[in-house]
Amino acid sequence: MAARSLRWRALSGVLAASLVLAACGVDLGDGAAERLGSGGGGGDTGVIGSGIEATTTSVAPTTAPPPPDVAVVGDDGSDLNQVAANAIADIEAYWETVYPEVYGEPYEPVAGGFFAVDSGSDPTTLPCAPPDIELVLYNAYYCPPDDAVAWDQEGLFPDLAAQFGDFAVAVVLAHEWGHAIQARADVDEPTVTTELQADCFAGAWVRHVRTDDDARFDISTEDLDLALAGILSLKDAPGSLATDPNAHGSGFDRVGAFQEGYEESAERCAEYRDGDPIPYQFEFSDNDLATGGDLPFADTTGADGEPVPGIESAAFESLELYWADVFPDLADEEWEPLEDPVGFSTDDPPTCNGREVDQFRLFYCVPDRYVGYDAEETMPQAANDLGDFAAGYLFGTQYGLAVQDQLDIEAPDEVTATLRGDCYAGAWAGALLPEEKNQEVYPYTLLLSPGDLDEAVSVLLSFRKESDRERQGPGFERVKALRLGVVDGPEPCASLEAE
């Protein structure tokens, strides 16, 4: 991030991180609780939010036996190949119904076969006959000339399942089927467009899985969040451009395309053309290139003796500048600045409305009008593990709660208040995107770097407790709210409703 900028870290660190994220403090006596949604957990402290410990569970997404009519060449007999076979049968059945609705002609099943690949496979026997087996290891692909699908059963699928659950391998196959659909529909668009369209088609299939009782999979909101996290992990390297002939899209782009398919169906995916959707990819500036796009968490001093701002202080300065500028257009009144943020350690928690706050690592205290955060462990961990804008965005979500309070917006529950806060934080993030013609102007102190939006998505998908999803909404919904703010600005945020 520019005052510098932010960078993505290994997403597996997200899933293991014990982060406690968006929470809000309320004065239970002044009506703010009712406005922001006082759904749970605060007891007598007047603060609501997430608990401190995180858990991850893994449940098999399908118990259906592998279909006898799906033969996998090279199958090593693994459980994941059974998941793959079930996915193939379900995806084929889905497109047999949906393809005629979208394209007006019958669907032709994939005819060239399905191949499980490992380091011992003979490349001459594989689809598209790669000259070297190394070219297809840790990969999954559709081969148009052979009309066949192949995947690495030795590295890619086990690693994806270990990090993101077994259903992630089914989502990868649904993406590859997207390319098979493109071959049948004679889609001819730039690579980034076809890759995002395949993600969109995958999302449309996952919606079918969630809603069709005849689907071979039974997935939870956690499986859906993990599927998004898996897609995010397959993003382009930050700083690469959508015009690259091998571009697949940023994490923000790929997750957005998947969600668009999930929400709007395969018909919307079929409309994708060059520039629709617009990829959010841009190059590093000279400053960002030198730092990798990351600010330190706290203010520090550079080797040249000059001060280097940290995301801890720069984000709060930026948020105040942004809301002072934008809020009057929303409310016909001036923004009332928040009190100074309070960074604390868990052994010395702050007070809100005269009561000690020791349950939460990040919160907004409505009566005292400040953001409190664990400055010793949780927030630095978010910045160090995921990138600086992971922490910066979380600060933004708390300002999103403050915006609702100043607008006197009523939220029916904590989930709705949280989603609106995510949307307002996304609007701030969108205002920090560099303009192509003037990338060195920082209107709100900060300028996003390549990968910063991916970091915001990452941190929202790091919630692992089911209680967090129930109280504040699944990661899937929170990412949708983030994207709405980035794309459309703050105006639609107040009307967001939890599903």
Side-chain angles (χ1 to χ4, degrees), residues 42-63:
D44 294 332
T45 66
V47 181
I48 56 176
S50 296
I52 290 175
E53 295 182 2
T55 59
T56 301
T57 59
S58 179
V59 179
T62 180
T63 56

Side-chain angles (χ1 to χ4, degrees), residues 21-186:
L21 309 178
C24 61
V26 297
D27 179 347
L28 297 181
D30 68 359
E34 287 74 17
R35 289 200 303 277
L36 293 183
S38 55
D44 294 332
T45 66
V47 181
I48 56 176
S50 296
I52 290 175
E53 295 182 2
T55 59
T56 301
T57 59
S58 179
V59 179
T62 180
T63 56
D69 56 340
V70 176
V72 177
V73 179
D75 183 3
D76 63 4
S78 69
D79 290 343
L80 290 180
N81 279 339
Q82 292 188 28
V83 172
N86 275 296
I88 290 168
D90 201 290
I91 294 166
E92 288 276 63
Y94 169 78
W95 282 112
E96 185 176 356
T97 298
V98 171
Y99 189 89
E101 297 173 353
V102 175
Y103 291 105
E105 56 188 33
Y107 172 66
E108 298 178 7
V110 171
F114 318 112
F115 296 77
V117 179
D118 55 39
S119 55
S121 299
D122 179 355
T124 64
T125 67
L126 300 180
C128 289
D132 189 328
I133 192 63
E134 294 294 330
L135 294 174
V136 294
L137 292 181
Y138 220 80
N139 200 1
Y141 65 97
Y142 168 70
C143 173
D146 296 336
D147 193 31
V149 176
W151 62 88
D152 176 9
Q153 67 182 339
E154 183 177 65
L156 177 64
F157 273 15
D159 284 359
L160 280 174
Q163 292 188 69
F164 309 113
D166 289 359
F167 188 63
V169 307
V171 173
V172 167
L173 290 174
H175 171 95
E176 297 309 325
W177 246 262
H179 294 310
I181 297 305
Q182 292 162 356
R184 284 152 176 73
D186 294 322

Side-chain angles (χ1 to χ4, degrees), residues 122-493:
D122 179 355
T124 64
T125 67
L126 300 180
C128 289
D132 189 328
I133 192 63
E134 294 294 330
L135 294 174
V136 294
L137 292 181
Y138 220 80
N139 200 1
Y141 65 97
Y142 168 70
C143 173
D146 296 336
D147 193 31
V149 176
W151 62 88
D152 176 9
Q153 67 182 339
E154 183 177 65
L156 177 64
F157 273 15
D159 284 359
L160 280 174
Q163 292 188 69
F164 309 113
D166 289 359
F167 188 63
V169 307
V171 173
V172 167
L173 290 174
H175 171 95
E176 297 309 325
W177 246 262
H179 294 310
I181 297 305
Q182 292 162 356
R184 284 152 176 73
D186 294 322
V187 173
D188 183 19
E189 298 291 339
T191 302
V192 71
T193 304
T194 59
E195 292 299 334
L196 294 178
Q197 186 182 59
D199 288 331
C200 186
F201 283 141
W205 173 72
V206 172
R207 180 58 177 256
H208 144 78
V209 169
R210 288 278 285 168
T211 57
D212 191 335
D213 291 338
D214 293 331
R216 288 176 167 267
F217 294 86
D218 182 14
I219 60 172
S220 66
T221 58
E222 182 173 7
D223 293 319
L224 195 54
D225 287 358
L226 287 168
L228 277 188
I231 290 169
L232 182 66
S233 75
L234 301 173
K235 63 186 177 58
D236 287 343
S240 58
L241 296 179
T243 53
D244 188 301
N246 295 314
H248 283 52
S250 70
F252 184 79
D253 296 332
R254 300 198 65 174
V255 165
F258 179 93
Q259 289 190 313
E260 192 161 50
Y262 186 93
E263 295 294 326
E264 299 190 33
S265 80
E267 283 83 353
R268 166 60 186 134
C269 308
E271 295 171 353
Y272 276 29
R273 297 293 184 270
D274 186 11
D276 176 25
I278 298 172
Y280 282 75
Q281 291 181 272
F282 48 94
E283 294 179 297
F284 282 109
S285 68
D286 291 341
N287 285 342
D288 281 346
L289 195 58
T291 64
D294 262 331
L295 296 175
F297 178 73
D299 294 349
T300 186
T301 302
D304 57 2
E306 294 296 317
V308 177
I311 191 65
E312 181 181 24
S313 61
F316 286 112
E317 179 183 354
S318 176
L319 284 158
E320 284 292 342
L321 289 170
Y322 173 75
W323 286 113
D325 185 31
V326 172
F327 189 80
D329 293 333
L330 299 177
D332 291 326
E333 62 182 63
E334 297 300 309
W335 169 254
E336 184 178 351
L338 300 190
E339 299 297 325
D340 289 342
V342 177
F344 62 87
S345 62
T346 54
D347 57 3
D348 186 21
T351 61
C352 176
N353 200 30
R355 290 171 288 188
E356 189 174 88
V357 182
D358 58 6
Q359 312 99 309
F360 308 114
R361 305 288 183 90
L362 174 67
F363 62 89
Y364 172 58
C365 176
V366 172
D368 299 339
R369 305 191 65 256
Y370 76 85
V371 173
Y373 60 97
D374 173 10
E376 298 294 324
E377 182 180 354
T378 304
M379 298 306 291
Q381 182 183 355
N384 292 333
D385 287 356
L386 304 178
D388 56 352
F389 201 60
Y393 176 77
L394 291 179
F395 294 142
T397 64
Q398 305 312 290
Y399 266 73
L401 298 172
V403 170
Q404 294 174 68
D405 185 43
Q406 290 201 35
L407 289 173
D408 200 23
I409 294 175
E410 268 193 48
D413 49 52
E414 189 179 352
V415 173
T416 300
T418 300
L419 293 178
R420 291 173 180 173
D422 288 324
C423 181
Y424 283 126
W428 167 62
L432 304 182
L433 286 166
E435 293 293 335
E436 183 177 348
K437 296 180 181 178
N438 194 4
Q439 294 198 9
E440 297 305 320
V441 173
Y442 304 177
Y444 305 117
T445 300
L446 295 176
L447 196 69
L448 289 191
S449 294
D452 287 352
L453 291 178
D454 298 354
E455 292 165 6
V457 173
S458 294
V459 80
L460 291 182
L461 294 176
S462 67
F463 281 90
R464 296 274 59 85
K465 292 178 68 176
E466 191 60 32
S467 60
D468 291 326
R469 294 183 178 87
E470 292 171 356
R471 272 203 325 274
Q472 297 174 322
F476 187 93
E477 296 301 321
R478 299 194 66 186
V479 171
K480 275 174 52 184
L482 156 66
R483 188 175 184 86
L484 177 65
V486 170
V487 175
D488 291 342
E491 287 78 11
C493 299

